[in-house]
Amino acid sequence: MSDHELHVAKIRDGTVIDHVTGGQALNVLSILGIDGSEGLGVSVGMNVPSDRLGKKDVVKVEDRELSQSEVDVISLIAPEATINIIRDYDVAEKNRVDRPDSVVGLLSCPNRNCITTGSNEPVETKFSVVDEGVRCTYCGTIIRDSLADHIDPE
Amino acid sequence: MRQDHLITATQLSRADIEAVLDRAAEIDADPAAMADRYREAVLALCFFEPSTRTKMSFETAIKRLGGATTDMGTVESSSVKKGESLADTVRVVEGYADALVLRHPSEGAAKMAAEFVDVPVINAGDGAGHHPSQTLLDLYTIRENVGLDDLSIGIMGDLKYGRTVHSLADALTNFDARQHFISPESLQLPRSVRFDLHNAGAQLREHTDLDDVLPELDVLYVTRIQRERFPDETEYEQIAGEYQIDADTLEAASDDLAVMHPLPRVDEIDPGVDALPQATYFEQAHNGVPVRMALLDFLLSEGEL
Ligand SMILES: [Zn+2]
């Protein structure tokens, strides 16, 4: 980790999500369903200077190791992100994010006439990941931009 | 064809389509041969939106195969009115029937329904989504009249919300078809359909004026532009009027042109066209029965399309 990241305190155990596209840190947290109410220690660095990205965000979540599938969804808004699993102040694992094939239950479909929206159907939303963005498996609607706006608050 | 359900036309390969059309042609030639084939079969009709033609056509098809129907009735008279989910409705109804025909106002309804039941589900229209059984009879009609290859087809009207248009355009990517889409700008193809057409390598052009392409067309597929798509009456009348055809319009067209329409029409095709040799829409409507018999034959015999 470079000196720039010292803006955010080191953590003992947990996950550091680094090289997040500048400005997307809060969206990363909402993708992970973390809003502070869980009691986890969360620190966020935003628009930190980065050699690779110009400006980047850094998200640190204490006492929780995020699974690969959880963080893969982050790739949709922060394709350059790296995931560092921290144990006893050391980086125990370091991974890049991969684009997942599909995103289940996280996003809501922007098509108000879709069977998954506004109805009482016992079905989770499902989007397949396509070149242009993500696509509702049910109605075919494509979300290209501002994916984070469609995160279902539950 | 190895599919349990018919949900969208994108799931159909050229071989799948040809198998159904060939079967329909056999049935058309000798309908009596099929009269007792499915004597025990029951087809459930679940229409959450009013429909006369599609429903009657499926009803006739199963009866000509020797089977029977069970009909959910109108939404007003059913348990849906009491707030039952679609998932519950289809799980109950599958116990009464060997296959299920579903029309529903929400896009993706048939896709979802198919996840909850084991009997074949046929999408008979999901909102502004798809209507693949209509497409099979459209393709049958095109094949009978002008052939499906080296085809130049104009698809005109409400391309944005027209589910018959979406399914037809998807299916035509399996053939050597040049697709011309003719509509006001506000009713052009939606992004999701463009995405599928692009992925399938479709040859497509878009026009706002029928005159630009009419002379080169083998088929003109007309759909209705609905009043509710426009904010006010004047705008509707002005725009919809540009996409209505009459006998004069067709003077610029080939004598062999087939004019098609999923019906019912209101004023987008003038009754003066009916007597012209190009008028193909009633023949098209009649083809609904043998084509749906063929479709049901595949789904009921193998449990697969
Ligand atoms: Zn949807």
Side-chain angles (χ1 to χ4, degrees), chain A residues 111 113-115 120-123 130 132 135 137-144, chain B residues 83 85-87 91 104-109 111-112 115-116 127 191-192 195-196:
Chain A
N111 172 12
N113 206 39
C114 175
I115 192 70
N120 55 349
E121 300 303 335
V123 66
V130 297
E132 299 185 24
R135 185 177 203 201
T137 309
Y138 292 94
C139 74
T141 296
I142 295 168
I143 310 177
R144 264 200 304 215
Chain B
S85 68
L86 174 62
R91 278 180 288 186
H104 194 278
S106 296
E107 285 99 62
K111 161 97 179 157
M112 189 206 73
E115 292 175 358
F116 284 90
R191 186 194 288 169
S192 61
F195 181 86
D196 285 327

PDB file of all heavy atoms in Angstrom, chain A residues 111 113-115 120-123 130 132 135 137-144, chain B residues 83 85-87 91 104-109 111-112 115-116 127 191-192 195-196:
ATOM      1  N   ASN A 111     -37.837  -0.774 -15.134  1.00  0.00           N
ATOM      2  CA  ASN A 111     -39.081  -0.871 -15.889  1.00  0.00           C
ATOM      3  C   ASN A 111     -40.239  -1.100 -14.914  1.00  0.00           C
ATOM      4  O   ASN A 111     -40.363  -2.163 -14.320  1.00  0.00           O
ATOM      5  CB  ASN A 111     -38.980  -2.029 -16.884  1.00  0.00           C
ATOM      6  CG  ASN A 111     -40.289  -2.322 -17.576  1.00  0.00           C
ATOM      7  OD1 ASN A 111     -41.244  -1.545 -17.506  1.00  0.00           O
ATOM      8  ND2 ASN A 111     -40.348  -3.457 -18.255  1.00  0.00           N
ATOM      9  N   ASN A 113     -43.152  -1.657 -15.424  1.00  0.00           N
ATOM     10  CA  ASN A 113     -44.106  -2.669 -15.884  1.00  0.00           C
ATOM     11  C   ASN A 113     -43.514  -4.086 -15.868  1.00  0.00           C
ATOM     12  O   ASN A 113     -44.100  -5.018 -16.395  1.00  0.00           O
ATOM     13  CB  ASN A 113     -44.581  -2.308 -17.292  1.00  0.00           C
ATOM     14  CG  ASN A 113     -45.950  -2.870 -17.594  1.00  0.00           C
ATOM     15  OD1 ASN A 113     -46.828  -2.877 -16.729  1.00  0.00           O
ATOM     16  ND2 ASN A 113     -46.122  -3.383 -18.805  1.00  0.00           N
ATOM     17  N   CYS A 114     -42.332  -4.207 -15.272  1.00  0.00           N
ATOM     18  CA  CYS A 114     -41.684  -5.526 -15.199  1.00  0.00           C
ATOM     19  C   CYS A 114     -42.350  -6.362 -14.113  1.00  0.00           C
ATOM     20  O   CYS A 114     -42.775  -5.832 -13.084  1.00  0.00           O
ATOM     21  CB  CYS A 114     -40.202  -5.345 -14.883  1.00  0.00           C
ATOM     22  SG  CYS A 114     -39.301  -6.894 -14.619  1.00  0.00           S
ATOM     23  N   ILE A 115     -42.417  -7.674 -14.325  1.00  0.00           N
ATOM     24  CA  ILE A 115     -43.071  -8.562 -13.359  1.00  0.00           C
ATOM     25  C   ILE A 115     -42.375  -8.523 -11.992  1.00  0.00           C
ATOM     26  O   ILE A 115     -42.979  -8.830 -10.972  1.00  0.00           O
ATOM     27  CB  ILE A 115     -43.140 -10.021 -13.910  1.00  0.00           C
ATOM     28  CG1 ILE A 115     -44.060 -10.915 -13.068  1.00  0.00           C
ATOM     29  CG2 ILE A 115     -41.755 -10.645 -14.009  1.00  0.00           C
ATOM     30  CD1 ILE A 115     -45.528 -10.597 -13.166  1.00  0.00           C
ATOM     31  N   ASN A 120     -46.494  -8.441  -6.043  1.00  0.00           N
ATOM     32  CA  ASN A 120     -46.232  -9.238  -4.841  1.00  0.00           C
ATOM     33  C   ASN A 120     -45.721 -10.619  -5.225  1.00  0.00           C
ATOM     34  O   ASN A 120     -45.988 -11.598  -4.558  1.00  0.00           O
ATOM     35  CB  ASN A 120     -47.508  -9.342  -3.999  1.00  0.00           C
ATOM     36  CG  ASN A 120     -48.669  -9.891  -4.814  1.00  0.00           C
ATOM     37  OD1 ASN A 120     -48.583  -9.996  -6.046  1.00  0.00           O
ATOM     38  ND2 ASN A 120     -49.746 -10.267  -4.145  1.00  0.00           N
ATOM     39  N   GLU A 121     -44.998 -10.689  -6.339  1.00  0.00           N
ATOM     40  CA  GLU A 121     -44.510 -11.991  -6.786  1.00  0.00           C
ATOM     41  C   GLU A 121     -43.316 -12.424  -5.932  1.00  0.00           C
ATOM     42  O   GLU A 121     -42.456 -11.608  -5.609  1.00  0.00           O
ATOM     43  CB  GLU A 121     -44.089 -11.920  -8.259  1.00  0.00           C
ATOM     44  CG  GLU A 121     -45.204 -11.516  -9.215  1.00  0.00           C
ATOM     45  CD  GLU A 121     -46.423 -12.439  -9.158  1.00  0.00           C
ATOM     46  OE1 GLU A 121     -46.252 -13.610  -8.771  1.00  0.00           O
ATOM     47  OE2 GLU A 121     -47.539 -11.974  -9.475  1.00  0.00           O
ATOM     48  N   PRO A 122     -43.263 -13.710  -5.608  1.00  0.00           N
ATOM     49  CA  PRO A 122     -42.175 -14.203  -4.757  1.00  0.00           C
ATOM     50  C   PRO A 122     -40.908 -14.469  -5.577  1.00  0.00           C
ATOM     51  O   PRO A 122     -40.417 -15.591  -5.645  1.00  0.00           O
ATOM     52  CB  PRO A 122     -42.752 -15.514  -4.205  1.00  0.00           C
ATOM     53  CG  PRO A 122     -43.661 -15.995  -5.290  1.00  0.00           C
ATOM     54  CD  PRO A 122     -44.230 -14.761  -5.932  1.00  0.00           C
ATOM     55  N   VAL A 123     -40.386 -13.430  -6.189  1.00  0.00           N
ATOM     56  CA  VAL A 123     -39.256 -13.654  -7.090  1.00  0.00           C
ATOM     57  C   VAL A 123     -38.220 -12.560  -6.877  1.00  0.00           C
ATOM     58  O   VAL A 123     -38.566 -11.391  -6.654  1.00  0.00           O
ATOM     59  CB  VAL A 123     -39.760 -13.708  -8.564  1.00  0.00           C
ATOM     60  CG1 VAL A 123     -40.319 -12.381  -9.021  1.00  0.00           C
ATOM     61  CG2 VAL A 123     -38.683 -14.186  -9.509  1.00  0.00           C
ATOM     62  N   VAL A 130     -24.006  -7.847 -19.279  1.00  0.00           N
ATOM     63  CA  VAL A 130     -23.740  -7.799 -20.724  1.00  0.00           C
ATOM     64  C   VAL A 130     -22.717  -6.694 -20.990  1.00  0.00           C
ATOM     65  O   VAL A 130     -22.372  -5.937 -20.089  1.00  0.00           O
ATOM     66  CB  VAL A 130     -25.044  -7.538 -21.524  1.00  0.00           C
ATOM     67  CG1 VAL A 130     -26.031  -8.685 -21.314  1.00  0.00           C
ATOM     68  CG2 VAL A 130     -25.704  -6.224 -21.116  1.00  0.00           C
ATOM     69  N   GLU A 132     -22.885  -3.898 -22.413  1.00  0.00           N
ATOM     70  CA  GLU A 132     -23.322  -2.516 -22.202  1.00  0.00           C
ATOM     71  C   GLU A 132     -23.659  -2.197 -20.753  1.00  0.00           C
ATOM     72  O   GLU A 132     -23.880  -1.048 -20.414  1.00  0.00           O
ATOM     73  CB  GLU A 132     -24.596  -2.242 -23.017  1.00  0.00           C
ATOM     74  CG  GLU A 132     -24.409  -2.395 -24.492  1.00  0.00           C
ATOM     75  CD  GLU A 132     -25.672  -1.991 -25.250  1.00  0.00           C
ATOM     76  OE1 GLU A 132     -26.476  -1.210 -24.715  1.00  0.00           O
ATOM     77  OE2 GLU A 132     -25.846  -2.479 -26.369  1.00  0.00           O
ATOM     78  N   ARG A 135     -28.665  -6.533 -17.642  1.00  0.00           N
ATOM     79  CA  ARG A 135     -29.950  -6.688 -18.318  1.00  0.00           C
ATOM     80  C   ARG A 135     -30.893  -7.549 -17.497  1.00  0.00           C
ATOM     81  O   ARG A 135     -30.527  -8.652 -17.084  1.00  0.00           O
ATOM     82  CB  ARG A 135     -29.698  -7.370 -19.656  1.00  0.00           C
ATOM     83  CG  ARG A 135     -30.943  -7.460 -20.485  1.00  0.00           C
ATOM     84  CD  ARG A 135     -30.667  -8.068 -21.827  1.00  0.00           C
ATOM     85  NE  ARG A 135     -31.701  -7.660 -22.745  1.00  0.00           N
ATOM     86  CZ  ARG A 135     -31.999  -8.287 -23.859  1.00  0.00           C
ATOM     87  NH1 ARG A 135     -31.313  -9.347 -24.223  1.00  0.00           N
ATOM     88  NH2 ARG A 135     -32.964  -7.850 -24.627  1.00  0.00           N
ATOM     89  N   THR A 137     -33.297 -10.199 -16.510  1.00  0.00           N
ATOM     90  CA  THR A 137     -33.552 -11.512 -17.091  1.00  0.00           C
ATOM     91  C   THR A 137     -35.021 -11.685 -17.445  1.00  0.00           C
ATOM     92  O   THR A 137     -35.371 -12.461 -18.312  1.00  0.00           O
ATOM     93  CB  THR A 137     -33.173 -12.598 -16.072  1.00  0.00           C
ATOM     94  OG1 THR A 137     -31.851 -12.329 -15.616  1.00  0.00           O
ATOM     95  CG2 THR A 137     -33.199 -13.976 -16.677  1.00  0.00           C
ATOM     96  N   TYR A 138     -35.888 -10.954 -16.767  1.00  0.00           N
ATOM     97  CA  TYR A 138     -37.320 -11.136 -16.980  1.00  0.00           C
ATOM     98  C   TYR A 138     -37.855 -10.281 -18.118  1.00  0.00           C
ATOM     99  O   TYR A 138     -38.489 -10.786 -19.028  1.00  0.00           O
ATOM    100  CB  TYR A 138     -38.072 -10.871 -15.670  1.00  0.00           C
ATOM    101  CG  TYR A 138     -37.761 -11.938 -14.659  1.00  0.00           C
ATOM    102  CD1 TYR A 138     -36.750 -11.770 -13.719  1.00  0.00           C
ATOM    103  CD2 TYR A 138     -38.420 -13.164 -14.710  1.00  0.00           C
ATOM    104  CE1 TYR A 138     -36.428 -12.784 -12.824  1.00  0.00           C
ATOM    105  CE2 TYR A 138     -38.108 -14.181 -13.819  1.00  0.00           C
ATOM    106  CZ  TYR A 138     -37.108 -13.978 -12.888  1.00  0.00           C
ATOM    107  OH  TYR A 138     -36.786 -14.988 -12.022  1.00  0.00           O
ATOM    108  N   CYS A 139     -37.601  -8.979 -18.069  1.00  0.00           N
ATOM    109  CA  CYS A 139     -38.226  -8.114 -19.080  1.00  0.00           C
ATOM    110  C   CYS A 139     -37.238  -7.642 -20.143  1.00  0.00           C
ATOM    111  O   CYS A 139     -37.647  -7.038 -21.128  1.00  0.00           O
ATOM    112  CB  CYS A 139     -38.898  -6.911 -18.423  1.00  0.00           C
ATOM    113  SG  CYS A 139     -37.747  -5.676 -17.829  1.00  0.00           S
ATOM    114  N   GLY A 140     -35.935  -7.886 -19.945  1.00  0.00           N
ATOM    115  CA  GLY A 140     -34.960  -7.522 -20.962  1.00  0.00           C
ATOM    116  C   GLY A 140     -34.448  -6.094 -20.880  1.00  0.00           C
ATOM    117  O   GLY A 140     -33.571  -5.709 -21.658  1.00  0.00           O
ATOM    118  N   THR A 141     -34.953  -5.320 -19.941  1.00  0.00           N
ATOM    119  CA  THR A 141     -34.501  -3.926 -19.809  1.00  0.00           C
ATOM    120  C   THR A 141     -33.005  -3.881 -19.491  1.00  0.00           C
ATOM    121  O   THR A 141     -32.513  -4.639 -18.657  1.00  0.00           O
ATOM    122  CB  THR A 141     -35.302  -3.211 -18.695  1.00  0.00           C
ATOM    123  OG1 THR A 141     -36.672  -3.158 -19.098  1.00  0.00           O
ATOM    124  CG2 THR A 141     -34.785  -1.798 -18.452  1.00  0.00           C
ATOM    125  N   ILE A 142     -32.306  -2.976 -20.176  1.00  0.00           N
ATOM    126  CA  ILE A 142     -30.862  -2.848 -19.987  1.00  0.00           C
ATOM    127  C   ILE A 142     -30.583  -1.600 -19.156  1.00  0.00           C
ATOM    128  O   ILE A 142     -31.101  -0.526 -19.439  1.00  0.00           O
ATOM    129  CB  ILE A 142     -30.166  -2.747 -21.358  1.00  0.00           C
ATOM    130  CG1 ILE A 142     -30.347  -4.064 -22.126  1.00  0.00           C
ATOM    131  CG2 ILE A 142     -28.679  -2.419 -21.190  1.00  0.00           C
ATOM    132  CD1 ILE A 142     -29.970  -3.997 -23.582  1.00  0.00           C
ATOM    133  N   ILE A 143     -29.770  -1.756 -18.115  1.00  0.00           N
ATOM    134  CA  ILE A 143     -29.285  -0.592 -17.355  1.00  0.00           C
ATOM    135  C   ILE A 143     -27.848  -0.365 -17.797  1.00  0.00           C
ATOM    136  O   ILE A 143     -26.996  -1.233 -17.632  1.00  0.00           O
ATOM    137  CB  ILE A 143     -29.309  -0.824 -15.834  1.00  0.00           C
ATOM    138  CG1 ILE A 143     -30.673  -1.354 -15.361  1.00  0.00           C
ATOM    139  CG2 ILE A 143     -28.956   0.464 -15.100  1.00  0.00           C
ATOM    140  CD1 ILE A 143     -30.710  -1.659 -13.860  1.00  0.00           C
ATOM    141  N   ARG A 144     -27.596   0.796 -18.370  1.00  0.00           N
ATOM    142  CA  ARG A 144     -26.249   1.085 -18.869  1.00  0.00           C
ATOM    143  C   ARG A 144     -25.436   1.909 -17.877  1.00  0.00           C
ATOM    144  O   ARG A 144     -24.286   1.631 -17.629  1.00  0.00           O
ATOM    145  CB  ARG A 144     -26.338   1.832 -20.197  1.00  0.00           C
ATOM    146  CG  ARG A 144     -26.219   0.892 -21.378  1.00  0.00           C
ATOM    147  CD  ARG A 144     -25.839   1.624 -22.618  1.00  0.00           C
ATOM    148  NE  ARG A 144     -26.769   2.704 -22.915  1.00  0.00           N
ATOM    149  CZ  ARG A 144     -27.113   3.055 -24.136  1.00  0.00           C
ATOM    150  NH1 ARG A 144     -26.641   2.407 -25.162  1.00  0.00           N
ATOM    151  NH2 ARG A 144     -27.936   4.064 -24.349  1.00  0.00           N
TER     152      ARG A 144
ATOM    153  N   GLY B  83     -56.044 -10.475  -4.935  1.00  0.00           N
ATOM    154  CA  GLY B  83     -54.646 -10.186  -4.637  1.00  0.00           C
ATOM    155  C   GLY B  83     -53.713 -11.381  -4.752  1.00  0.00           C
ATOM    156  O   GLY B  83     -52.588 -11.340  -4.287  1.00  0.00           O
ATOM    157  N   SER B  85     -50.973 -13.784  -6.173  1.00  0.00           N
ATOM    158  CA  SER B  85     -49.835 -13.540  -7.063  1.00  0.00           C
ATOM    159  C   SER B  85     -49.949 -14.431  -8.292  1.00  0.00           C
ATOM    160  O   SER B  85     -50.610 -15.471  -8.275  1.00  0.00           O
ATOM    161  CB  SER B  85     -48.523 -13.833  -6.328  1.00  0.00           C
ATOM    162  OG  SER B  85     -48.411 -15.223  -6.076  1.00  0.00           O
ATOM    163  N   LEU B  86     -49.260 -14.030  -9.354  1.00  0.00           N
ATOM    164  CA  LEU B  86     -49.216 -14.852 -10.570  1.00  0.00           C
ATOM    165  C   LEU B  86     -48.557 -16.195 -10.274  1.00  0.00           C
ATOM    166  O   LEU B  86     -49.002 -17.240 -10.756  1.00  0.00           O
ATOM    167  CB  LEU B  86     -48.451 -14.104 -11.674  1.00  0.00           C
ATOM    168  CG  LEU B  86     -48.196 -14.896 -12.955  1.00  0.00           C
ATOM    169  CD1 LEU B  86     -49.500 -15.293 -13.635  1.00  0.00           C
ATOM    170  CD2 LEU B  86     -47.317 -14.083 -13.913  1.00  0.00           C
ATOM    171  N   ALA B  87     -47.509 -16.154  -9.452  1.00  0.00           N
ATOM    172  CA  ALA B  87     -46.801 -17.399  -9.119  1.00  0.00           C
ATOM    173  C   ALA B  87     -47.745 -18.399  -8.467  1.00  0.00           C
ATOM    174  O   ALA B  87     -47.708 -19.596  -8.773  1.00  0.00           O
ATOM    175  CB  ALA B  87     -45.614 -17.092  -8.215  1.00  0.00           C
ATOM    176  N   ARG B  91     -49.235 -22.013 -10.165  1.00  0.00           N
ATOM    177  CA  ARG B  91     -48.959 -23.256  -9.447  1.00  0.00           C
ATOM    178  C   ARG B  91     -50.240 -24.019  -9.142  1.00  0.00           C
ATOM    179  O   ARG B  91     -50.245 -25.247  -9.076  1.00  0.00           O
ATOM    180  CB  ARG B  91     -48.172 -22.984  -8.159  1.00  0.00           C
ATOM    181  CG  ARG B  91     -46.681 -22.830  -8.450  1.00  0.00           C
ATOM    182  CD  ARG B  91     -45.879 -22.565  -7.190  1.00  0.00           C
ATOM    183  NE  ARG B  91     -46.103 -21.215  -6.689  1.00  0.00           N
ATOM    184  CZ  ARG B  91     -45.428 -20.683  -5.665  1.00  0.00           C
ATOM    185  NH1 ARG B  91     -44.513 -21.400  -5.038  1.00  0.00           N
ATOM    186  NH2 ARG B  91     -45.675 -19.451  -5.283  1.00  0.00           N
ATOM    187  N   HIS B 104     -50.447 -11.695 -19.962  1.00  0.00           N
ATOM    188  CA  HIS B 104     -50.352 -10.915 -18.718  1.00  0.00           C
ATOM    189  C   HIS B 104     -49.851  -9.508 -19.063  1.00  0.00           C
ATOM    190  O   HIS B 104     -49.055  -9.347 -19.988  1.00  0.00           O
ATOM    191  CB  HIS B 104     -49.368 -11.623 -17.775  1.00  0.00           C
ATOM    192  CG  HIS B 104     -49.430 -11.131 -16.358  1.00  0.00           C
ATOM    193  ND1 HIS B 104     -48.772  -9.989 -15.952  1.00  0.00           N
ATOM    194  CD2 HIS B 104     -50.062 -11.625 -15.257  1.00  0.00           C
ATOM    195  CE1 HIS B 104     -49.007  -9.809 -14.654  1.00  0.00           C
ATOM    196  NE2 HIS B 104     -49.791 -10.776 -14.208  1.00  0.00           N
ATOM    197  N   PRO B 105     -50.320  -8.495 -18.330  1.00  0.00           N
ATOM    198  CA  PRO B 105     -49.897  -7.125 -18.671  1.00  0.00           C
ATOM    199  C   PRO B 105     -48.453  -6.774 -18.313  1.00  0.00           C
ATOM    200  O   PRO B 105     -47.962  -5.734 -18.765  1.00  0.00           O
ATOM    201  CB  PRO B 105     -50.875  -6.239 -17.872  1.00  0.00           C
ATOM    202  CG  PRO B 105     -51.411  -7.116 -16.793  1.00  0.00           C
ATOM    203  CD  PRO B 105     -51.386  -8.506 -17.321  1.00  0.00           C
ATOM    204  N   SER B 106     -47.770  -7.595 -17.524  1.00  0.00           N
ATOM    205  CA  SER B 106     -46.393  -7.244 -17.131  1.00  0.00           C
ATOM    206  C   SER B 106     -45.357  -7.951 -17.987  1.00  0.00           C
ATOM    207  O   SER B 106     -45.465  -9.161 -18.230  1.00  0.00           O
ATOM    208  CB  SER B 106     -46.128  -7.622 -15.676  1.00  0.00           C
ATOM    209  OG  SER B 106     -46.953  -6.872 -14.818  1.00  0.00           O
ATOM    210  N   GLU B 107     -44.313  -7.228 -18.379  1.00  0.00           N
ATOM    211  CA  GLU B 107     -43.217  -7.830 -19.109  1.00  0.00           C
ATOM    212  C   GLU B 107     -42.484  -8.828 -18.212  1.00  0.00           C
ATOM    213  O   GLU B 107     -42.211  -8.543 -17.048  1.00  0.00           O
ATOM    214  CB  GLU B 107     -42.238  -6.751 -19.594  1.00  0.00           C
ATOM    215  CG  GLU B 107     -42.745  -5.959 -20.779  1.00  0.00           C
ATOM    216  CD  GLU B 107     -43.332  -4.615 -20.384  1.00  0.00           C
ATOM    217  OE1 GLU B 107     -42.609  -3.777 -19.834  1.00  0.00           O
ATOM    218  OE2 GLU B 107     -44.546  -4.418 -20.648  1.00  0.00           O
ATOM    219  N   GLY B 108     -42.170  -9.968 -18.770  1.00  0.00           N
ATOM    220  CA  GLY B 108     -41.451 -10.994 -18.010  1.00  0.00           C
ATOM    221  C   GLY B 108     -42.361 -11.956 -17.257  1.00  0.00           C
ATOM    222  O   GLY B 108     -41.882 -12.877 -16.600  1.00  0.00           O
ATOM    223  N   ALA B 109     -43.691 -11.755 -17.378  1.00  0.00           N
ATOM    224  CA  ALA B 109     -44.630 -12.591 -16.625  1.00  0.00           C
ATOM    225  C   ALA B 109     -44.506 -14.068 -17.000  1.00  0.00           C
ATOM    226  O   ALA B 109     -44.460 -14.942 -16.125  1.00  0.00           O
ATOM    227  CB  ALA B 109     -46.065 -12.107 -16.848  1.00  0.00           C
ATOM    228  N   LYS B 111     -42.022 -15.628 -18.405  1.00  0.00           N
ATOM    229  CA  LYS B 111     -40.699 -16.125 -17.999  1.00  0.00           C
ATOM    230  C   LYS B 111     -40.729 -16.525 -16.517  1.00  0.00           C
ATOM    231  O   LYS B 111     -40.235 -17.589 -16.133  1.00  0.00           O
ATOM    232  CB  LYS B 111     -39.667 -15.024 -18.253  1.00  0.00           C
ATOM    233  CG  LYS B 111     -38.383 -15.148 -17.515  1.00  0.00           C
ATOM    234  CD  LYS B 111     -37.312 -15.785 -18.366  1.00  0.00           C
ATOM    235  CE  LYS B 111     -36.011 -15.854 -17.568  1.00  0.00           C
ATOM    236  NZ  LYS B 111     -35.126 -16.862 -18.055  1.00  0.00           N
ATOM    237  N   MET B 112     -41.310 -15.651 -15.706  1.00  0.00           N
ATOM    238  CA  MET B 112     -41.393 -15.956 -14.282  1.00  0.00           C
ATOM    239  C   MET B 112     -42.305 -17.152 -14.034  1.00  0.00           C
ATOM    240  O   MET B 112     -41.954 -18.057 -13.278  1.00  0.00           O
ATOM    241  CB  MET B 112     -41.894 -14.749 -13.492  1.00  0.00           C
ATOM    242  CG  MET B 112     -41.795 -14.962 -11.992  1.00  0.00           C
ATOM    243  SD  MET B 112     -42.990 -13.999 -11.050  1.00  0.00           S
ATOM    244  CE  MET B 112     -44.501 -14.887 -11.409  1.00  0.00           C
ATOM    245  N   GLU B 115     -40.860 -20.529 -14.335  1.00  0.00           N
ATOM    246  CA  GLU B 115     -39.958 -20.967 -13.259  1.00  0.00           C
ATOM    247  C   GLU B 115     -40.712 -21.662 -12.135  1.00  0.00           C
ATOM    248  O   GLU B 115     -40.109 -22.316 -11.298  1.00  0.00           O
ATOM    249  CB  GLU B 115     -39.197 -19.758 -12.697  1.00  0.00           C
ATOM    250  CG  GLU B 115     -38.211 -19.178 -13.695  1.00  0.00           C
ATOM    251  CD  GLU B 115     -37.543 -17.904 -13.196  1.00  0.00           C
ATOM    252  OE1 GLU B 115     -37.880 -17.444 -12.083  1.00  0.00           O
ATOM    253  OE2 GLU B 115     -36.698 -17.381 -13.934  1.00  0.00           O
ATOM    254  N   PHE B 116     -42.024 -21.476 -12.098  1.00  0.00           N
ATOM    255  CA  PHE B 116     -42.793 -22.024 -10.980  1.00  0.00           C
ATOM    256  C   PHE B 116     -43.562 -23.297 -11.317  1.00  0.00           C
ATOM    257  O   PHE B 116     -44.147 -23.894 -10.429  1.00  0.00           O
ATOM    258  CB  PHE B 116     -43.772 -20.970 -10.443  1.00  0.00           C
ATOM    259  CG  PHE B 116     -43.090 -19.910  -9.605  1.00  0.00           C
ATOM    260  CD1 PHE B 116     -42.606 -18.753 -10.190  1.00  0.00           C
ATOM    261  CD2 PHE B 116     -42.899 -20.111  -8.249  1.00  0.00           C
ATOM    262  CE1 PHE B 116     -41.955 -17.794  -9.424  1.00  0.00           C
ATOM    263  CE2 PHE B 116     -42.254 -19.163  -7.470  1.00  0.00           C
ATOM    264  CZ  PHE B 116     -41.772 -17.999  -8.060  1.00  0.00           C
ATOM    265  N   GLY B 127     -47.193  -7.954 -21.554  1.00  0.00           N
ATOM    266  CA  GLY B 127     -47.059  -6.500 -21.639  1.00  0.00           C
ATOM    267  C   GLY B 127     -46.558  -6.078 -23.010  1.00  0.00           C
ATOM    268  O   GLY B 127     -47.076  -6.519 -24.030  1.00  0.00           O
ATOM    269  N   ARG B 191     -34.660  -0.323 -26.704  1.00  0.00           N
ATOM    270  CA  ARG B 191     -33.252  -0.692 -26.629  1.00  0.00           C
ATOM    271  C   ARG B 191     -33.049  -2.198 -26.455  1.00  0.00           C
ATOM    272  O   ARG B 191     -32.138  -2.793 -27.017  1.00  0.00           O
ATOM    273  CB  ARG B 191     -32.610   0.048 -25.450  1.00  0.00           C
ATOM    274  CG  ARG B 191     -31.122  -0.147 -25.362  1.00  0.00           C
ATOM    275  CD  ARG B 191     -30.580   0.315 -24.017  1.00  0.00           C
ATOM    276  NE  ARG B 191     -30.594   1.754 -23.895  1.00  0.00           N
ATOM    277  CZ  ARG B 191     -30.364   2.400 -22.743  1.00  0.00           C
ATOM    278  NH1 ARG B 191     -30.098   1.724 -21.655  1.00  0.00           N
ATOM    279  NH2 ARG B 191     -30.392   3.714 -22.697  1.00  0.00           N
ATOM    280  N   SER B 192     -33.943  -2.823 -25.665  1.00  0.00           N
ATOM    281  CA  SER B 192     -33.744  -4.253 -25.405  1.00  0.00           C
ATOM    282  C   SER B 192     -33.895  -5.076 -26.689  1.00  0.00           C
ATOM    283  O   SER B 192     -33.163  -6.037 -26.903  1.00  0.00           O
ATOM    284  CB  SER B 192     -34.725  -4.746 -24.337  1.00  0.00           C
ATOM    285  OG  SER B 192     -36.052  -4.577 -24.777  1.00  0.00           O
ATOM    286  N   PHE B 195     -30.904  -4.538 -28.909  1.00  0.00           N
ATOM    287  CA  PHE B 195     -29.771  -5.286 -28.374  1.00  0.00           C
ATOM    288  C   PHE B 195     -29.790  -6.718 -28.926  1.00  0.00           C
ATOM    289  O   PHE B 195     -28.780  -7.226 -29.408  1.00  0.00           O
ATOM    290  CB  PHE B 195     -29.862  -5.289 -26.836  1.00  0.00           C
ATOM    291  CG  PHE B 195     -28.746  -6.011 -26.152  1.00  0.00           C
ATOM    292  CD1 PHE B 195     -27.559  -5.366 -25.871  1.00  0.00           C
ATOM    293  CD2 PHE B 195     -28.901  -7.344 -25.783  1.00  0.00           C
ATOM    294  CE1 PHE B 195     -26.522  -6.039 -25.231  1.00  0.00           C
ATOM    295  CE2 PHE B 195     -27.874  -8.024 -25.141  1.00  0.00           C
ATOM    296  CZ  PHE B 195     -26.680  -7.368 -24.860  1.00  0.00           C
ATOM    297  N   ASP B 196     -30.975  -7.352 -28.879  1.00  0.00           N
ATOM    298  CA  ASP B 196     -31.079  -8.721 -29.386  1.00  0.00           C
ATOM    299  C   ASP B 196     -30.852  -8.777 -30.889  1.00  0.00           C
ATOM    300  O   ASP B 196     -30.193  -9.690 -31.393  1.00  0.00           O
ATOM    301  CB  ASP B 196     -32.463  -9.298 -29.060  1.00  0.00           C
ATOM    302  CG  ASP B 196     -32.596  -9.664 -27.586  1.00  0.00           C
ATOM    303  OD1 ASP B 196     -31.596 -10.070 -26.992  1.00  0.00           O
ATOM    304  OD2 ASP B 196     -33.713  -9.524 -27.043  1.00  0.00           O
TER     305      ASP B 196
END
